[in-house]
Amino acid sequence: MITSKTTDELLKLLSSMESRSSLHDLSDELDKPENKTSFPDYISQKMQERGISPGRLWELSLIQRNYGYQILNGTKTPGRDKIVAICLSLSLPLADTQHALMLANAGPLYARRKRDSILIFSLQKGLSVMDANMLLYDLSEEPLS
């Protein structure tokens, strides 16, 4: 089953394919709705794994409660800063944060960008949103909005 394969396993599978029909079959499988994880589903899963309630997540991430619930039910698509704030609040590692950004079509964090490198550091050190914002401010960057 495709959904149980890691990215590395899928890359190996792609490398070993010898025909377009194999690629077509894989493409069809990946395109099925049940094989697509949405950003709200991913965040809900991470909240459950960490035992964090939605209300607590919005408190930690400094996101207005109503807006937060709209993110979870899929009626609002958060911007990049909100996604990073959510990931910081869930203490997600960088790889999970990059995955969340990808699911929301928000673009990954790049270590060569000053602000992004500060956010990467914050994620790796397990900083809170407030502490990450203070660090951004201290280094003359815009806080998470």
Side-chain angles (χ1 to χ4, degrees), residues 27 55 59 65-66 69 90 101 108 112 115:
S27 177
E59 182 182 320
R65 185 179 224 89
N66 289 342
Y69 282 105
L90 289 169
L101 288 163
R112 292 191 181 270
R115 186 170 186 269

Side-chain angles (χ1 to χ4, degrees), residues 5-21:
K5 293 193 181 300
T6 66
T7 302
D8 286 339
E9 290 170 335
L10 287 173
L11 287 171
K12 287 177 186 174
L13 182 62
L14 284 166
S15 295
S16 68
M17 284 184 182
E18 296 185 14
S19 69
R20 287 183 180 212
S21 66

Side-chain angles (χ1 to χ4, degrees), residues 114-125:
K114 180 182 175 184
R115 186 170 186 269
D116 284 2
S117 68
I118 297 165
L119 293 172
I120 291 169
F121 175 87
S122 299
L123 285 158
Q124 291 176 330
K125 298 300 179 186

Side-chain angles (χ1 to χ4, degrees), residues 77-92:
T77 302
R80 196 165 183 256
D81 279 3
K82 297 283 190 241
I83 295 166
V84 171
I86 289 169
C87 293
L88 281 166
S89 299
L90 289 169
S91 300
L92 295 184

Side-chain angles (χ1 to χ4, degrees), residues 4 27 29 34 41 47 53 55 64 69 77 84 88 92-93 97-98 101-102 108-109 119 129:
S4 63
S27 177
E29 185 70 22
E34 64 269 17
D41 290 343
M47 287 170 48
S53 69
Q64 198 274 333
Y69 282 105
T77 302
V84 171
L88 281 166
L92 295 184
T97 300
Q98 298 288 44
L101 288 163
M102 184 269 308
L109 294 171
L119 293 172
V129 173

Side-chain angles (χ1 to χ4, degrees), residues 50-63:
R50 285 161 172 70
I52 295 179
S53 69
R56 181 70 178 140
L57 179 61
W58 310 138
E59 182 182 320
L60 292 170
S61 61
L62 308 177
I63 293 175

